Amino acid sequence: MLVGRESELNELKASLLSPNPILLPVTGRRRLGKTTLLIHWAKDSGHPYLYWLASHFPGNTLLTQFSRKVWQLGHPDQTVPENFRYGNWLEAFESLAAACRGEQRHIVILDEFPLAIQAEPTLPAVLQEAWEGHLKSSNICLVLCGSQVGVMEGLLGAEGPLHDPIQKPLWLRPLPYAATAAFFPSYNAGQRMAAYAILGGVPAYLEQFSDKSNILQNLRHHLFRETSLLRTDPDYLIGEQVRDLKIYQVVLSAIALGAGKPAAIAFEAGLPQRSSADPYLARLVEMGYLHRELPVTVPAGKRRSSRLGRYALVDNYLRFYFRFVRPNLDLLAQQLPEEFEKRISGQLLSFVGKVALEELSQEWILTQARAGKMPFKIEQIGSHWGGGLQIDVVAINWEDKQLLLGATKWQAEPIGKDTVRELIETKTPRVLQLLPEEGDGWRPHYAFFSRAGFTDVARALAKRENAQLVDLIRLDQDLRNA
């Protein structure tokens, strides 16, 4: 189902308003629903459209498939001749241009275009020639869609073959937390956040869970089936784009289990040298599955030289898979669900708290800032770590010398006075010392996020500092309303 894609759908609709031919790239990792979105848009537009999906077939086979689609577009009431194929790709694109001439707009979607490039490396140059010679004088909206983010960026970059005729790409991102309400209407806020921590905002993963079952029941149902998408997809996503899949698996496992710096990742992955992980990390960043992050408290002038940088998995489910599933494949193979749940149960709560509550708390602060409900304008938001100090949520405005420090707790007990005092009285002075001029003139603000609410004493202490107190119900409602 198409959920939470109103903004992207509006962008696609707006592209059809241009009187000029359009060459529109659409990209984003697999399973985000790009194909569903594009076909929905094309059908709803009322314009004639062509949808072609590239695959791992040889170039001649792909040309035959594409040729038949193009011929059918130009001859909608006739049957495609048997064994029909244009002589080459340029001829096929020229025929496509001819079929798309006239007053009526035609939508043409070339899906998984990077796979066609693998089979025909000259295809981008041929398409550019066809665009300049024929397609840009037609009435076409040509969509190039691809899940291999690195390949798409190479096509669209300043040195890419399609840079000149192409417009800014439409990037599909994972769905926001608010979309989980459409997938799991029967779940409460805590269950939705736990599901989001595990599955992230990937529609294909969210569709796997049922809100008729609890989280552990859903995990048991999917992880103990060898053909389940949640069991097979992580290795497929990585393996289709790289060689040496096993090395990438151990690198990702090392990061999911807590290693963040290249030397630590190389050590945990069993690689021979401290720098051995570097090419794998660079490739995973290019693919969009990793990013390098810094404490938000590091000033701009020191970010390049800071030694506090660490690598983190961007995708929630890959974090879950490489932390909990891959290390326990022995239990899955032996069909021992009770042992699996026993082995992961102690760490699962902290995982959900880290991934869901911490990140959603940061998102909540941003939504409040956009609504003008924060005490200052936020320039950056993230976390702080280093020097024996960890702060879950930090929002900062360098120019105005204001920052917000936040603590998150996924524990079953309410936040008490000790948590409030620790952040305000102990951690704040240490953070201020790290800021320019050792924090002189800076004004701190506070927020606390709790799964189980707050004690009366904690509320009283927080009120003195005008701190924001956000429980699970408020967090859930505010994010969904935003």
Side-chain angles (χ1 to χ4, degrees), residues 462-474:
K463 187 176 181 180
R464 295 178 193 171
E465 298 290 338
N466 201 28
Q468 304 226 38
L469 300 180
V470 185
D471 61 18
L472 224 54
I473 302 301
R474 182 183 175 188

Side-chain angles (χ1 to χ4, degrees), residues 263-283:
I265 294 168
F267 176 79
E268 294 296 334
L271 299 178
Q273 298 176 346
R274 289 167 59 92
S275 61
S276 298
D278 290 349
Y280 303 100
L281 297 173
R283 183 73 177 104

Side-chain angles (χ1 to χ4, degrees), residues 56-78:
H56 291 284
F57 289 144
N60 284 338
T61 303
L62 295 180
L63 178 57
T64 299
Q65 295 173 346
F66 183 62
S67 297
R68 296 176 69 83
K69 290 276 189 177
V70 172
W71 195 95
Q72 190 70 74
L73 184 68
H75 307 81
D77 299 322
Q78 301 179 41

Side-chain angles (χ1 to χ4, degrees), residues 251-261 264-265 268 310-311 322-323:
V251 166
L252 287 166
S253 295
I255 296 169
L257 290 169
K261 296 186 177 182
I265 294 168
E268 294 296 334
R310 65 187 183 190
Y311 286 91
F322 284 102
R323 179 167 177 177

